[in-house]
Amino acid sequence: MSTAAGAKPSFKEQMLQAREEAIVKSVNRLLAEKGFDAMTVDEVAASVGIAKASLYKHFPSKEDLAAAAMVRVMRSAREFLDGIDAGLPPLEKLRAVVRWTLQVQLAGQMPSLPTQNSSLRAALTGSREYVDALMEISVRLGAWIEAAQAAGALNPKLPPIAVLYTLYARGCDPVLEFLRGGGQHTDDEIVDLVLSTCFDGLNSR
Amino acid sequence: MSTAAGAKPSFKEQMLQAREEAIVKSVNRLLAEKGFDAMTVDEVAASVGIAKASLYKHFPSKEDLAAAAMVRVMRSAREFLDGIDAGLPPLEKLRAVVRWTLQVQLAGQMPSLPTQNSSLRAALTGSREYVDALMEISVRLGAWIEAAQAAGALNPKLPPIAVLYTLYARGCDPVLEFLRGGGQHTDDEIVDLVLSTCFDGLNSR
DNA sequence: GTCTATAAATAGATAGAC
DNA sequence: GTCTATCTATTTATAGAC
C-alpha cells in the first residue's frame, strides 16, 4: 500500500485512480480512432477536459499514455479469458477469444500502435504489468492451441507460435474496416465472416 | 506527348523521369520501413541525395509522394498479373498473387499507409492512375475469385468482396514481421505458413 | 531545377503561479 | 494537482539566388 489505513487518504487515492482511468479511457479511444502517431497529447487533454500540464503530472510521456492503454486492454483481455467456460473444447475457447477481439475492434476500443516505433517499444517492454499480462495471455492461449492440435481440431502441422501470432493479428485486421465501409454487412456478419476465414480459410471444405 | 519529336527534349524528359523514379523508390522503401507518419520529407531528400526544395519541385506535398509510391506498387502488381500463366486454375492464380504480395512485404518494398488519414486519402483518390489501377486489379482478381468459387475451389458462401479484402489485407499482415522476429523460420517458410493459414485456415482438414 | 536559408505551424514537454 | 504561458525541437512547405 502507498498509504496507511484510513478513510481520507483512500478517498484521495480513489479520486486519483478515477481521473487516471478517465484519461486512459480517452487515450484508448483515440488510439483506436487515429493510431499512435496521429494522436496528439493536446487532443487527449481536451478530450479528458484537463490541461496538458496536468496530464503530464499523471503520465510522464505520450509513450507512457499508450502503454497505459495497452495495459488496460490486457487486463480486459485477461478478464475475458477468466470468464470463458472451462468446459468448452480448446478450439471453441480460441474462437471465443478471437470473436471478442473482433468485437472490441469494431466497437472502436482496440488501440492500434506502430510496431516499428522504438521509443514506444521501450515504454511497453518497460511496463512490468504489460509484459506480465501479455506473457500470461500468451501462455494460456498457447496451452489451448496445443490442446486443440492434440485433439485434431487445429492443424497440427502449424507451429503453435504461428497460430498465436495469427490470432493476435486478427485484432488489427483491416478487413473489418473495409467490410464496414462497404456497408453491405452488419457488424455481426462481419465478425462471422472474419472468424470463418480465419479458422476455416478461404478454400472450400 | 508533352514534347515534340526530337532527341534533346526526349533525353531531358528521360532524365526527369529517372530522377523521379529514384525519388519514388526511396519513398517506397521508407514507407515500408517506417510508415507514412514516421517518414519525414527530410529523410526522403537525404535518401535521394537532393535538397528538400528540389523534392518539392517534383512532388507538391508529402501526400503526393506517398501516392506516387502507391501508383508504383500498383503498376508493379499489374505487371505481375500480366505475367501469370493464363492456363493456371483461378485458385492458383490467386495464390500466386498473394505469394507475390507476401514476398514484396518481406523484401521491405510494401508501403504501409494509415487508412484513416483524410488528406492522404484525398491524394490517393485524386490520383487517376492509382484509382484506375486499383480498380482494374480488383476487377481481375474478382473474376478469378468468382471463377474459383464456381469451380468449387474457393468457399462459395463467402461474398467475393470479402475474399478480395482478405487477400488485400495479407499485404500488410503483421504476422510476417512477428514470425521473422521470432527467428525460427526462413522467409520462404514464413510465406508458406501465411499462405496456408490464409487459404486453408487454422483448423484441420 | 538545384541549392541555402527561412518561414509557419505543430508537437511533445516544462516553468512557475496558485 | 491544476492551471496559463512558454520552451524547444521538429516538420511541412517556400522564398529567392544561381
Side-chain angles (χ1 to χ4, degrees):
Chain A
M1 322 258 188
S2 62
T3 63
K8 265 189 180 170
S10 169
F11 177 75
K12 225 169 159 184
E13 286 251 338
Q14 276 189 2
M15 286 292 91
L16 184 93
Q17 279 217 318
R19 166 62 53 97
E20 295 198 345
E21 169 67 13
I23 294 173
V24 178
K25 218 170 158 184
S26 279
V27 171
N28 201 31
R29 184 175 45 78
L30 287 169
L31 282 180
E33 276 178 15
K34 335 181 56 170
F36 179 77
D37 290 312
M39 180 188 80
T40 71
V41 180
D42 290 85
E43 280 175 329
V44 176
S47 169
V48 182
I50 64 176
K52 186 162 56 168
S54 306
L55 205 55
Y56 275 97
K57 298 282 184 181
H58 291 275
F59 300 91
S61 74
K62 183 185 178 183
E63 282 78 11
D64 287 281
L65 278 173
M70 288 307 296
V71 166
R72 188 182 135 90
V73 168
M74 286 296 164
R75 255 202 287 261
S76 171
R78 199 156 44 177
E79 283 171 18
F80 181 80
L81 292 190
D82 288 335
I84 293 182
D85 180 1
L88 284 179
L91 179 61
E92 291 311 311
K93 291 178 181 169
L94 293 173
R95 286 182 62 96
V97 175
V98 174
R99 179 182 292 278
W100 178 79
T101 62
L102 296 177
Q103 287 168 339
V104 170
Q105 198 189 345
L106 279 175
Q109 303 287 332
M110 185 65 79
S112 79
L113 305 182
T115 55
Q116 312 100 325
N117 187 323
S118 62
S119 66
L120 185 54
R121 283 189 70 87
L124 286 176
T125 58
S127 163
R128 177 79 186 280
E129 196 175 0
Y130 171 77
V131 173
D132 286 355
L134 179 60
M135 182 83 76
E136 185 193 326
I137 290 172
S138 297
V139 167
R140 289 165 75 170
L141 291 182
W144 291 345
I145 289 170
E146 293 184 346
Q149 287 183 319
L154 272 187
N155 183 356
K157 286 185 179 172
L158 295 173
I161 191 73
V163 177
L164 182 66
Y165 290 162
T166 301
L167 299 182
Y168 278 153
R170 279 335 103 211
C172 59
D173 198 320
V175 169
L176 296 180
E177 188 185 337
F178 290 162
L179 284 175
R180 175 178 267 176
Q184 300 296 313
H185 302 89
T186 67
D187 283 4
D188 284 345
E189 289 171 345
I190 292 175
V191 168
D192 286 336
L193 271 173
V194 174
L195 262 181
S196 167
T197 59
C198 178
F199 285 96
D200 295 329
L202 297 172
N203 291 350
S204 289
R205 281 186 177 260
Chain B
M1 322 257 189
S2 60
T3 63
K8 266 191 181 170
S10 170
F11 177 75
K12 226 169 157 184
E13 286 251 337
Q14 277 189 359
M15 287 290 93
L16 184 93
Q17 278 218 317
R19 167 62 53 97
E20 296 198 344
E21 170 66 13
I23 294 173
V24 178
K25 217 170 159 184
S26 279
V27 171
N28 201 30
R29 184 175 45 78
L30 287 169
L31 281 180
E33 277 178 16
K34 335 181 52 169
F36 180 77
D37 290 310
M39 180 188 79
T40 70
V41 180
D42 290 86
E43 280 176 329
V44 176
S47 169
V48 181
I50 63 175
K52 186 162 55 168
S54 306
L55 206 55
Y56 275 96
K57 298 282 183 181
H58 291 276
F59 300 91
S61 74
K62 183 184 178 184
E63 282 77 13
D64 286 281
L65 278 173
M70 289 306 296
V71 166
R72 187 182 135 90
V73 168
M74 286 295 163
R75 253 202 289 261
S76 172
R78 200 158 43 178
E79 282 170 18
F80 180 81
L81 291 190
D82 288 335
I84 292 181
D85 179 2
L88 284 178
L91 178 61
E92 292 311 311
K93 291 178 182 170
L94 293 173
R95 285 181 62 95
V97 175
V98 174
R99 179 182 293 278
W100 177 80
T101 62
L102 297 178
Q103 286 168 340
V104 170
Q105 197 188 345
L106 279 175
Q109 304 287 333
M110 185 65 79
S112 78
L113 306 181
T115 54
Q116 311 101 327
N117 188 323
S118 62
S119 66
L120 184 56
R121 283 190 70 87
L124 285 176
T125 58
S127 162
R128 177 76 187 280
E129 197 175 359
Y130 170 78
V131 173
D132 285 354
L134 179 60
M135 182 83 76
E136 185 193 326
I137 290 172
S138 296
V139 167
R140 290 165 74 169
L141 291 182
W144 291 345
I145 290 170
E146 292 183 346
Q149 287 182 319
L154 273 186
N155 182 356
K157 287 185 179 173
L158 296 172
I161 190 73
V163 177
L164 181 66
Y165 289 163
T166 301
L167 299 182
Y168 277 152
R170 280 335 102 211
C172 57
D173 198 320
V175 169
L176 296 179
E177 187 185 337
F178 290 163
L179 284 175
R180 176 178 266 177
Q184 300 295 312
H185 302 89
T186 67
D187 283 5
D188 284 345
E189 289 171 344
I190 292 174
V191 168
D192 286 336
L193 272 173
V194 174
L195 263 180
S196 167
T197 59
C198 177
F199 285 95
D200 295 330
L202 297 172
N203 293 349
S204 289
R205 281 189 178 259

